[in-house]
Amino acid sequence: MRIGDAAAAAGTTPRALRFYEERGLPPPPPRTATGQREYGARDIARIGVVRELLALGLTVEDVRGCAGHLDSLLDAPLPQRCGVPADAGEGGGSAGVAARRLAAIDAEIARLTLLRERLAARVAVRSADGPGRDSP
């Protein structure tokens, strides 16, 4: 199937599909003699995994880091997706791509929570100063 049909089958757009391929997320599909991409069911499934991982908050770089494992991720349960094998060297083990992304998300939540608390405290102080005060 051609790129438009493949994109529709994967729930995305041809533009997004080209973007994924340019970034090295799924492997490039074979091409016809005229240079057009030809997608099969396996290609569509890989694109689905890429989209799922991106939707879960992984970055393009995160997904690129596990792009070589997309085929093994097609049927793997989510906790195993993008994990780094224990023998992957320094920084490997259970702290795979997904675990590192979770840690980054947790840090961002903590930062935003603190920011929200500070802003809420500031608003409360301004409200306590009385109505009509517009100066900071």
Side-chain angles (χ1 to χ4, degrees):
M1 90 179 57
R2 303 292 164 87
I3 193 166
D5 295 329
T12 191
T13 64
R15 183 176 178 185
L17 194 45
R18 285 186 199 97
F19 173 82
Y20 299 157
E21 289 175 13
E22 288 168 5
R23 299 300 186 273
L25 305 185
R31 293 188 178 251
T32 65
T34 59
Q36 294 181 325
R37 296 169 175 90
E38 270 298 320
Y39 295 89
R42 197 84 173 155
D43 297 308
I44 303 304
R46 284 185 200 108
I47 295 162
V49 170
V50 166
R51 288 180 42 79
E52 178 186 4
L53 294 172
L54 292 172
L56 288 171
L58 273 70
T59 66
V60 169
E61 288 301 314
D62 293 335
V63 176
R64 186 187 330 208
C66 62
H69 305 287
L70 287 180
D71 283 341
S72 64
L73 300 177
L74 292 176
D75 301 317
L78 187 59
Q80 294 174 4
R81 291 189 175 177
C82 289
V84 177
D87 62 352
E90 189 172 310
S94 62
V97 173
R100 287 191 301 273
R101 190 67 194 138
L102 281 171
I105 290 169
D106 287 343
E108 182 66 3
I109 288 170
R111 184 188 74 79
L112 289 171
T113 300
L114 179 62
L115 183 64
R116 186 200 181 286
E117 289 169 355
R118 290 175 60 198
L119 179 59
R122 180 73 174 218
V123 169
V125 167
R126 288 188 68 195
S127 296
D129 285 344
R133 291 214 34 155
D134 289 335
S135 61

